[in-house]
Amino acid sequence: ALIAAVAGTATYSRVDATAAAIAQVEVISALERKAETLQSAVREQALSIQTFMLTGDRAWLERAGEQSKAATGLFDELGGSTLAAIDGASAPLADMRQAWQTWKSEKIDQQVQYMRVPETIDLARAMELTPSSSRLMPEIFAAGGKLDAVLTARREALVAEQSAAMASARRIALGSL
């Protein structure tokens, strides 16, 4: 009876650890989806701005503004979430946000201003070709890639913990037979 009680307690402990790991994996997966949605919003914003630069159609500028608001909201959500509790996740998010804000302020805001004046439209379009302009988007997505890597590594570690806890629970259950 004592062996059964000890085995039951140990099995419960391992199953409980598995449940905790599953819950954490769900949180990490939700953060990964938000980070992916954020990168998509930034990508859509960039494409909308480029289309606006080519066509002059203000509908694309409005769409870029909508994507900018979506990205801002996602940066805020991720920054205020449990992301801060994950080792190494806050820095890439901060780097990504900083690069995005720099891209917006140094490039996009200036281009939009130039597009408002017929005499400077060509200047706005030429900004696409400058070295400083072309480095900003890769910086945004490099930081996003680092964030993805941190989240993926944490999720994989939790899945490994979950598997180890289940294997241990199985061994205890078999050993108590």
Side-chain angles (χ1 to χ4, degrees):
L2 180 61
I3 292 173
V6 170
T9 302
T11 301
Y12 177 79
S13 171
R14 298 293 51 197
V15 170
D16 193 45
T18 300
I22 289 170
Q24 289 179 352
V25 166
E26 289 173 0
V27 169
I28 297 292
S29 294
L31 291 171
E32 286 176 314
R33 285 189 299 276
K34 280 185 184 178
E36 185 178 307
T37 302
L38 171 60
Q39 290 186 53
S40 291
V42 171
R43 199 172 287 113
E44 286 292 322
Q45 181 185 11
L47 289 172
S48 295
I49 287 293
Q50 287 176 339
T51 304
F52 168 65
M53 292 294 136
L54 291 172
T55 66
D57 183 350
R58 293 219 172 266
W60 288 104
L61 184 58
E62 289 175 24
R63 183 174 174 148
E66 292 167 6
Q67 294 301 324
S68 180
K69 286 179 187 171
T72 298
L74 288 162
F75 274 119
D76 291 345
E77 280 182 50
L78 284 166
S81 69
T82 54
L83 188 73
I86 300 168
D87 286 341
S90 293
L93 180 65
D95 292 346
M96 185 179 178
R97 186 175 206 151
Q98 181 60 47
W100 176 70
Q101 289 173 329
T102 301
W103 172 74
K104 281 181 25 176
S105 65
E106 289 183 8
K107 181 182 176 208
I108 302 309
D109 292 347
Q110 188 65 48
Q111 280 182 306
V112 169
Q113 288 301 319
Y114 286 154
M115 287 295 286
R116 292 174 193 219
V117 180
E119 292 81 18
T120 58
I121 289 174
D122 288 336
L123 182 56
R125 291 177 178 153
M127 285 179 70
E128 287 294 317
L129 306 174
T130 63
S132 64
S133 169
S134 61
R135 78 171 162 74
L136 293 171
M137 286 308 284
E139 283 181 19
I140 294 169
F141 292 111
K146 288 177 186 173
L147 177 59
D148 290 343
V150 168
L151 292 174
T152 298
R154 182 64 184 135
R155 182 178 36 78
E156 289 172 353
L158 287 168
V159 168
E161 268 181 47
Q162 177 184 340
S163 296
M166 282 304 293
S168 177
R170 283 187 193 107
R171 282 191 301 275
I172 293 168
L174 288 173
S176 67
L177 294 178

